[in-house]
Amino acid sequence: MAIAMTPTTAAPPDTAPDAIPAPIVIAHRGASGYLPEHSLEAKAMAHAMGTDFLEQDVVLTRDARAIVLHDLYLEDITDVARRFPDRARADGRWYAIDFSLAEIRSLRVHERIDLATGQPVFPERFPPEADLFRIHTLEEELSLIRGLNRSTGRTAGIYVELKHPAWHLAEGLDPVPILMRELDRAGYRGPEDRVYIQCFEPDTLKRLREDIGTRIPLIQLIGENDWRSPADLPVDFERMRTPEGLAAVAAYARGIGPWIGQIHQGTDETGAHRTTRLAADAHAAGLLVHPYTFRRDALPEGFGDFEALLRFFLVDQGVDGIFTDHPDVAVHLRGRFTGREQAE
């Protein structure tokens, strides 16, 4: 697929979005603690809450349209099983890439459901029976953010994740040029435009840096080796977290996005925090650290409340940003810890 884009000159990976002092607050799938994840309504709410960046997970439809959806499949957050009962694959899942954009637009989006129990994953969040929300395209979301930035006078950046690009390639569609075309059209071309691209697949990030020559700062997401799914590549995340692995990441990425359990590993018999050296080692390698995911209604072991959790990561560990389902609380607490005001 030939994609015409504004020519760019590759920048070193130590360039970060301009004029945003750390630590940053990233709205994880929008204000997803209050409204269904990745709905436009959740993004508008997160923007109004003063978040620094809004996250977009990107997958493709059958007709090669970039949509904002966390998973490759649809049944956890939509009524696809009822609307299209005969369209599941052999594994019992309904994949977005098997549907046209028009078909996906017809689905109703609801709060995430645990398919094993039929109950909401987060019971106290937005009622799952509400019939109010739809899946939208990346183009539409970027248009919304651009409009809100203009009407409010407060610029929120974007933080895009390419979901399983190698899997998409095996299915016959390449999401990389499609994403870069959308970002280019919307004016996101470099760090001055307040944009990051993140991915779990290092080969994709290297392709963006070395072959495409993007100036957009790249973030290497870090999972666990036992999180494998059929769509995942055999990446050794344990080695990636070593000083040698982090040095290799620093050659192509601006930062890492680790799971919070890779920094904080519970408490010992005295109640003291068990902490790894990941944040310190990443900083020593010149990498930003943006861990995920901070939820007020799902606290890790060892934290009595959300304030204690954020204080540990933002103050004690000195991370450079956090992904959170509750951006309003995170912005408020960040201001308390650092003196930054939401009016920024």
Side-chain angles (χ1 to χ4, degrees), residues 21 26 39 92 222 289 340:
I26 307 146
S39 61
I222 303 180
V289 181
R340 290 179 61 185

Side-chain angles (χ1 to χ4, degrees), residues 213-326:
T214 183
R215 294 175 50 246
I216 294 174
L218 306 176
I219 302 294
Q220 174 67 63
L221 288 169
I222 303 180
E224 292 286 318
N225 286 353
D226 61 0
W227 288 359
R228 300 281 180 234
S229 77
D232 290 325
L233 296 177
V235 179
D236 188 349
F237 290 118
E238 289 185 10
R239 185 185 184 284
M240 188 179 286
R241 299 197 301 271
T242 66
E244 296 76 19
L246 293 168
V249 169
Y252 62 85
R254 178 63 185 99
I256 59 169
W259 172 49
I260 60 176
Q262 294 164 343
I263 295 175
H264 182 272
Q265 298 183 329
T267 56
D268 63 19
E269 61 278 1
T270 71
H273 294 297
R274 296 184 184 272
T275 306
T276 72
R277 287 195 49 80
L278 181 57
D281 288 345
H283 284 151
L287 293 164
L288 299 173
V289 181
H290 295 164
Y292 63 89
T293 304
F294 293 77
R295 298 180 171 103
R296 187 173 57 176
D297 49 2
L299 296 173
E301 175 193 349
F303 296 101
D305 55 38
F306 199 54
E307 179 174 352
L309 174 64
L310 263 61
R311 183 180 295 278
F312 174 83
F313 277 87
L314 295 179
V315 178
D316 299 343
Q317 289 295 302
V319 302
D320 305 286
I322 58 167
F323 285 84
T324 179
D325 291 5
H326 300 88

Side-chain angles (χ1 to χ4, degrees), residues 10-320:
D14 61 351
T15 304
D18 290 355
I20 307 176
I24 61 172
V25 173
I26 307 146
H28 180 246
R29 310 180 204 172
S32 54
Y34 307 101
L35 288 164
E37 64 183 61
H38 282 320
S39 61
L40 284 178
E41 292 84 353
K43 300 303 173 67
M45 187 174 194
H47 194 290
M49 288 175 166
T51 193
D52 300 304
F53 287 83
L54 300 161
E55 184 191 34
Q56 300 77 33
D57 292 315
V58 174
V59 304
L60 300 183
T61 65
R62 184 179 64 200
D63 41 354
R65 297 297 301 276
I67 59 173
V68 181
L69 182 71
H70 179 260
D71 300 312
L72 295 173
Y73 31 82
L74 297 157
E75 66 273 14
D76 298 42
I77 64 160
T78 77
D79 60 350
V80 66
R82 180 179 64 82
R83 297 289 308 284
F84 299 98
D86 59 344
R87 298 278 290 278
R89 291 195 180 189
D91 62 0
R93 312 217 74 162
W94 283 257
Y95 286 79
I97 205 169
D98 295 332
F99 294 81
S100 68
L101 177 59
E103 289 171 328
I104 285 177
R105 286 192 190 281
S106 73
L107 301 175
R108 273 55 176 173
V109 171
H110 53 68
E111 190 66 39
R112 182 169 289 271
I113 297 296
D114 181 341
L115 297 178
T117 65
Q119 298 302 309
V121 172
F122 299 100
E124 301 304 315
R125 296 191 180 185
F126 203 90
E129 62 272 15
D131 181 16
L132 299 171
F133 309 99
R134 303 293 183 271
I135 293 173
H136 57 275
T137 65
L138 177 63
E139 180 182 16
E140 289 165 339
E141 178 157 329
L142 297 183
S143 179
L144 172 72
I145 295 169
R146 184 166 57 249
L148 288 171
N149 285 347
R150 176 176 176 176
S151 63
T152 65
R154 194 190 67 80
T155 300
I158 66 169
Y159 208 123
V160 186
E161 180 181 349
L162 266 169
K163 304 295 290 190
H164 305 291
W167 183 90
H168 279 88
L169 274 169
E171 293 286 318
L173 291 176
D174 186 352
V176 171
I178 294 171
L179 171 64
M180 299 310 291
R181 176 183 61 198
E182 294 285 359
L183 294 181
D184 186 73
R185 285 177 174 173
Y188 293 101
R189 298 167 187 143
E192 66 278 3
D193 302 314
R194 296 196 177 190
V195 54
Y196 288 100
I197 296 175
Q198 58 180 335
C199 189
F200 282 100
E201 298 178 12
D203 286 348
T204 295
L205 295 176
K206 292 175 185 177
R207 178 185 173 196
L208 285 165
R209 173 66 60 204
E210 298 164 7
D211 298 341
I212 294 176
T214 183
R215 294 175 50 246
I216 294 174
L218 306 176
I219 302 294
Q220 174 67 63
L221 288 169
I222 303 180
E224 292 286 318
N225 286 353
D226 61 0
W227 288 359
R228 300 281 180 234
S229 77
D232 290 325
L233 296 177
V235 179
D236 188 349
F237 290 118
E238 289 185 10
R239 185 185 184 284
M240 188 179 286
R241 299 197 301 271
T242 66
E244 296 76 19
L246 293 168
V249 169
Y252 62 85
R254 178 63 185 99
I256 59 169
W259 172 49
I260 60 176
Q262 294 164 343
I263 295 175
H264 182 272
Q265 298 183 329
T267 56
D268 63 19
E269 61 278 1
T270 71
H273 294 297
R274 296 184 184 272
T275 306
T276 72
R277 287 195 49 80
L278 181 57
D281 288 345
H283 284 151
L287 293 164
L288 299 173
V289 181
H290 295 164
Y292 63 89
T293 304
F294 293 77
R295 298 180 171 103
R296 187 173 57 176
D297 49 2
L299 296 173
E301 175 193 349
F303 296 101
D305 55 38
F306 199 54
E307 179 174 352
L309 174 64
L310 263 61
R311 183 180 295 278
F312 174 83
F313 277 87
L314 295 179
V315 178
D316 299 343
Q317 289 295 302
V319 302
D320 305 286

